[in-house]
Amino acid sequence: MFFSIMSGRSMHSILVGLFCLAIASAICCSSVGSSYFIRRCLESERHALLQFKQDLVDDSNALASWENMKDCCKWRGIACNNQTGHVTTLDFSFSYDPYLNSTEVPLRGEMSPSLLELRYLSYLDLSYNDFGGMIIPKFIGSLSQLKELKLADANFSGPVPPQLGNLSNLHTLDLSWNELVSSESIEWLSHLSSLRYLNMSDVDLSKVVNWPQSLSKLTSLIELQLLVCRLPDVNLRSLSFINSSTSLQVLDLSSNSLNSSVFHWIANVSNNFVNIQLSSNLLKGPIPDVFTSMLSLVALDLSYNQLEGGIPEGFQNLCSLESLTLLSNSLSENIIDSIKTLSCAENTLETLNLRENQFWGSLPNLKRFSKLRELDLSSNQLNGSLPESVGQLSSLEQLFLSENSLTGVITESHFLNLSRLQMLSLSDNRFSINLSSDWNPPFQLSGALDMSGYKLGPAFPKWILTQTNLTRLYLSNAGLSGLLPNKFWDLCSGLVYLNLSMNQIHGKVPNLSTTSLFRVDLSSNLLSGAVPSIPRRLSRLDLSKNLFSGPPSSLCTTLTLPPSNLYALDLSENLLSGELPNCWIQFQNLEQLNLGRNKLSGMIPSSLGSIQGIAVLRLNRNNFSGELPSLENCTSLVMVDLGDNNLSGKIPTWIGQSLIDLTILHLRSNEFNGSIPSSLCGLAAIHVLDLSHNNISGGLPHCFNNISVLAINSLYSTFIMELVWKGIEIEFGKNLLGMRSIDISSNYLIGEIPQSIESMTELISLNLSRNYLTGKLPENFGNMKMLESLDLSRNQISGKIPASFSRLNFLGVLDVSHNHLSGRIPLSTQLQSFNASAYMANLGLCGPPLTQICPGDGTAQDDGITRGSDTDNKEHDTDGLISLGFFISTALGFVTGFWVVCGSLLLKSSRRYAYFKFLDDSRDWVYVKTAAHRAKMERRLQRWMVMSFWHGV
Ligand SMILES: *[C@@H]1O[C@H](CO)[C@@H](O)[C@H](O)[C@H]1NC(C)=O
Ligand SMILES: *[C@@H]1O[C@H](CO)[C@@H](O)[C@H](O)[C@H]1NC(C)=O
Ligand SMILES: *[C@@H]1O[C@H](CO)[C@@H](O)[C@H](O)[C@H]1NC(C)=O
Ligand SMILES: *[C@@H]1O[C@H](CO)[C@@H](O)[C@H](O)[C@H]1NC(C)=O
Ligand SMILES: *[C@@H]1O[C@H](CO)[C@@H](O)[C@H](O)[C@H]1NC(C)=O
């Protein structure tokens, strides 16, 4: 859903830019106006404004000027007609980006009908404030002078009032990014005959089957924005009634799951298109010919669809094209032909983005595309070498060629005239790099440089140190070793993203707290000394797999505000020692914390329990001791790994009561004692429960049947974690998604295995070995049909192995040795395939695979096996590996369905990741959240982009 925005990035920046300009000019004009105004504001209108303000909460005192000045025309956000003194403008959109001015927060409250007193109001903008989910009041329809009405992202909800259709003077209407739902009809829109700009993005239009006809009636419309509206597909038959050609120039229908029939509407609705955005839909097949008659087309974005074939020949007519963005489709064509098709645009084309397709062949000479600013051909199947003529593209600002099979030597002449280059990515090709360390590049990169994977070292290349304006530097796995030059750390102060992972860099990391760093990955190096101080702004820090030592106390600052932005902190696999500081209350944004595999000791600090949003907590393989602090408020926890420490005390009951999303709970190899609280059965989402190697006593809880549903939530969160934190995936295997494992081995459990265990039909691995369990095995033990690994050895279990064991068809690992079992081993395809040692040291087991013949047995063995197999389903007659795969794929199937709904965005996650790496390293996370929670996150993303825009990120 938000890829539309990503893909139209440059356009978006332009829009954002224009938008900011608009605001700036609005503010500017209002102040100019107010300094020249002739008439003061009218008392009745002043009164109305004050009443309007009364229903608002102004937390940051943004409307201070309303109290200090008598003349309401001078108030912030107000402008009047300089002849009549009537209030004409009410603009409260100044809070549109909290990141820009952190002291200012949106106004909250209700929209008062006193607005109706402002009878000459022609401009009303309440965007980016918080109206608490109230419905858009019908009375707005009575503000008959309104020319512009903007209520974007202002937390309105409910139906769109058709009374808006009374605003016959309206030329701009923006209702985007609220929680609005439209009824079946948007006929009211057709009364807005002057409407030129309409934005209803994120309004639920799923019931508006007639949208193509209704919108065709807006004959003055110039720009239409309907992103993420759940638009129903275009009914081709109804199109025959459309005979109007509107003046529509700009159309954005991104993220709507529309199929290719939308092209027919587009072809009919206007001849004047300048900009068409259709990214993240379900467009299939070849790119249609409809665009070839759109001679004014300047920008086209068809990203994130399933389009095939090449760029149609008709594109030869498009001589004004400035931006063509086709990223992430299944387009496949010799790149030479594609470029030839675009030859009419050779004097206009500025952006060509074909990333993530299957374009092949070698790159032609691009010299004639002299305006080209952004060239992104990453993640295709290009081969051959990079023509030196690329070095002649003197307008080029962004060059992305990563993830192809390009060969040859990259030399200084490839960059000869690239004096405007800002971003460069060559990673994941087969180039060899021949750039002298003393090279003086013609460019000053002000964006990103990605040379990951090329041997640039061992010394840090000097030419990179000349790039003092860099904001993102990716030199992962670049053969760098030794100390980093001091100059590098100067460079670092301006960097926003830094990745030097997988090198052999030595030495200490200086204090980073005054840098602009937002995301840092220095993992897998030889860095030592103390963990550096970090800036508040930092959102990800990965220092794992280094030689950092001492306690990580530099993370704590003495100042209390604002809280740290950190959401992922990985210091695992270092030599950290001593106690953890108790300052975690400063890290309210932390979602992932990994301090595993260090030498940390002492108690686990209680302030960890104040991080409400934490999802992943790993303190495994340290020397932590004492009891667990309460984490009962950390209700977002998905993974808790405290294994291999010296923690003691009882297993807290809050785990099962509060941590309802918990998917992985690892407490193995500690000194936990007492019995297993039955509240643990509240962990409906649990996939891996490991309490092994503790001092747990008492019986197994009798409530296992509660844990038997595969909770949908957990599926999401587990999946997210897989994406977000690869390490977990590597450690726990990809099958995390479906894995359901219980290990309580090596404790002091007594009593019987409760019958309720039979209902854990999804369980794949069960280990209760090395306890003091007694009694008989539950009769229907074999109901746990998915079991692939079962270890009950070294207990005192007696009686027979229940006949239902013959249903455990996926069993690949079995150990029931060292118990008091007796009687015949049931016959099945699996049970006899184990080594006899799986059954050894019992009281009196008999029959195959044991050599011990059961009393009264003749040679009836074969019969037995056949009988056993009779009860089986043929389809289950597969080995364990396949079954696990099957299980996982079912789970994945479910998630895939979810993806399709969301625009199938996650499928190629690693490539996405690479893409994000350039645009904004934080967005992969933001995106994942979007998928998991709601499209609403997009708004934050937009804000983020505004921020990025301003900060020149
Ligand atoms: C009054 O407003 C009109 C239109 O908004 C503008 O053209 C004119 O310059 C203004 N006059 C003064 C004195 O500000
Ligand atoms: C931020 O908000 C404060 C308080 O409203 C204001 O004084 C300041 O000028 C604003 N800064 C910017 C850059 O807008
Ligand atoms: C919208 O209003 C509701 C109700 O007051 C509130 O719970 C929610 O947090 C608000 N949403 C946003 C994005 O401000
Ligand atoms: C860095 O960027 C800024 C702003 O874009 C520019 O003014 C400055 O000249 C650049 N510095 C260098 C060394 O190019
Ligand atoms: C959890 O939150 C509740 C309610 O805010 C509070 O009373 C309690 O002390 C918190 N518990 C911990 C361990 O922080």
Side-chain angles (χ1 to χ4, degrees), residues 606 609-610 612 629-633:
S606 58
S610 65
Q612 293 196 9
S630 172
L631 303 175
E632 63 183 333
N633 291 341

Side-chain angles (χ1 to χ4, degrees), residues 7 24 75 86 132 150 168 289 320 440 460 490 581 646 746 753 798 817 841 847 854 904 927:
S7 50
W75 290 352
H86 284 297
K150 298 183 185 172
S168 55
D289 280 333
S320 308
N440 192 9
F460 196 88
D490 295 343
N646 302 317
S746 299
I753 295 178
S798 55
S817 66
C854 293
S904 61
Y927 164 66

Side-chain angles (χ1 to χ4, degrees), residues 99-246:
Y99 294 99
L100 279 185
N101 192 340
S102 56
T103 59
E104 232 163 52
V105 296
L107 301 165
R108 295 183 287 130
E110 301 236 330
M111 196 165 162
S112 153
S114 60
L115 216 50
L116 288 174
E117 293 292 315
L118 307 174
R119 254 168 281 143
Y120 296 89
L121 199 63
S122 65
Y123 183 101
L124 177 60
D125 189 347
L126 300 174
S127 302
Y128 315 109
N129 290 294
D130 181 359
F131 289 92
M134 74 180 283
I135 59 169
I136 295 180
K138 295 190 181 94
F139 69 73
I140 288 202
S142 306
L143 291 166
S144 57
Q145 297 299 308
L146 274 189
K147 293 199 174 105
E148 298 195 29
L149 175 59
K150 298 183 185 172
L151 303 175
D153 195 0
N155 203 0
F156 287 106
S157 66
V160 179
Q163 284 81 358
L164 293 181
N166 298 340
L167 299 173
S168 55
N169 289 314
L170 215 55
H171 60 70
T172 296
L173 177 60
D174 187 348
L175 304 176
S176 60
W177 311 112
N178 287 289
E179 303 249 2
L180 300 171
V181 185
S182 170
S183 62
E184 280 162 43
S185 168
I186 48 170
E187 205 46 38
W188 57 271
L189 267 174
S190 62
H191 303 299
L192 306 180
S193 53
S194 315
L195 203 61
R196 282 182 266 154
Y197 173 93
L198 175 62
N199 190 344
M200 305 231 304
S201 297
D202 198 24
V203 177
D204 183 347
L205 299 179
S206 58
K207 285 189 262 164
V208 192
V209 180
N210 275 336
W211 66 268
Q213 292 93 313
S214 301
L215 292 173
S216 304
K217 292 178 189 157
L218 296 173
T219 49
S220 307
L221 202 63
I222 293 174
E223 177 164 352
L224 175 61
Q225 301 273 347
L226 297 177
L227 288 82
V228 204
C229 289
R230 304 193 216 163
L231 288 173
D233 280 320
V234 175
N235 178 341
L236 288 179
R237 256 181 307 163
S238 65
L239 283 184
S240 52
F241 299 108
I242 296 179
N243 200 13
S244 67
S245 182
T246 68

Side-chain angles (χ1 to χ4, degrees), residues 32-38 80-83:
V32 169
S34 58
S35 55
Y36 284 93
F37 80 99
I38 295 161
C80 303
N81 180 309
N82 57 16
Q83 309 287 313

Side-chain angles (χ1 to χ4, degrees), residues 552-567:
S553 43
S554 55
L555 294 176
C556 302
T557 57
T558 47
L559 305 168
T560 45
L561 277 170
S564 160
N565 200 25
L566 204 61
Y567 78 76

Side-chain angles (χ1 to χ4, degrees), residues 628-646:
L628 277 184
S630 172
L631 303 175
E632 63 183 333
N633 291 341
C634 307
T635 48
S636 306
L637 274 170
V638 173
M639 171 178 199
V640 172
D641 184 357
L642 306 175
D644 298 284
N645 279 289
N646 302 317

